[in-house]
Amino acid sequence: MAPGRNLEALGKNTEDPPEPAGESPGREVRVTPVELRRVLGSPEAVSVLRWLAARRRHRIATAGTDGEPDVVERFTYCEPVDAEELRAEISDPRLQALVDCGAAVVIDGWAVALLSLRYLRGVAIAYPQAQRPDGNEVYLGTGGFWLMQLAFRYGSPGDTAADLATGTGLVAVALSARYDRVVAVDLLPEAVRTARLTLDINASQITSTGAAVMDVAAGLRDGVFDLVVANPPWVPDAIGTDGENQTVYAAGGPTGMELPARFIEEAGRLLAPGGTAIILVLDGTWDDGRRPLDEQCDLLRDRGFEIVDVVPAPPAVWGEAATKRLTEYAPNCTAGSVVALVFRRPC
Ligand SMILES: C[S@@+](CC[C@H](N)C(=O)[O-])C[C@H]1O[C@@H](n2cnc3c(N)ncnc32)[C@H](O)[C@@H]1O
């Protein structure tokens, strides 16, 4: 991820401090991107990841998050660890299952995981630590965590929820604690694979979850969802700086509202009577007087939806640095910040 290309910092809000892949004092190991297709194709490896997630959850429940990470935890943060020490803790077959599908490597007596396990408020996220910098990276950042909190605050009761533009599947997992059926969708196959893995290692006994590749919500049924959430790409094109193209997870269109507007429209189509949608967007004011968010709210009202709230993002999602970058790279935008648009289809 090139610094400065996007507005949000990555991975700053996990309970475990994210560590750089493959580095420890005096030791550097080159890692290659993990192939999630191979990991998902190995029931043994998925079961080891589930076991590691459960182990970590148990340790947090019994000892909290303050203590020094042990060898297993350091391994799940993608630090190189002594392979023998690790085997003694997790067993040789477990380590071998990860190595066989390319989720870990053992070199010169060092074991390195290529898939990190992050933990966020009880949710374990399987995150491809090393990714090809080709614009199709899987996103993990503060927006998802905020969306998770908003879903609990505003989510209508019911049994069916959709997480559009799911990324790692983090929010979908959180929703599975409340809704009986949860679908997680994304345009990027690698994001959907990450979400599948994340849903799998947090598997609930009672919720039916699924993840699929689709453009916005194409293929999901009209009028059956009690809750629809999305943190779509909302970064204005001008922020893709230095002639570089933006990443798929960030590029929201010229004002940053063009792509989110499609999510807003589709979310409205999916909602059941009484259902609620929560969509994160950039609320920008442009020097020609346009306020794309106001235009979207007017369109929603015209279609009979109720605007429940427009919630300003907390500093972890939209801070001073983001405002500075917006005014620097998009000078036609006179003001802007991220908000959550919450709207409801009347019963
Ligand atoms: C900012 S990330 C949010 C990921 C996740 N919801 C979270 O908050 O952690 C935006 C996501 O939108 C996805 N995306 C981009 N264009 C899309 C489209 N046309 N349809 C569906 N998903 C899309 C990206 O692949 C990325 O996963």
Side-chain angles (χ1 to χ4, degrees), residues 38-50 97 101 197 200:
R38 284 181 63 202
V39 181
L40 282 165
S42 162
E44 297 81 13
V46 173
S47 140
V48 174
L49 292 169
R50 203 178 292 131
C101 69
L197 202 50
D200 205 340

Side-chain angles (χ1 to χ4, degrees), residues 13-15 118-125 140-141 144-145 148 170:
N13 61 342
T14 49
E15 285 171 2
R118 313 277 187 97
Y119 300 87
L120 194 57
R121 300 289 182 271
V123 176
I125 305 157
L140 176 64
F145 176 52
M148 196 166 140
L170 151 76

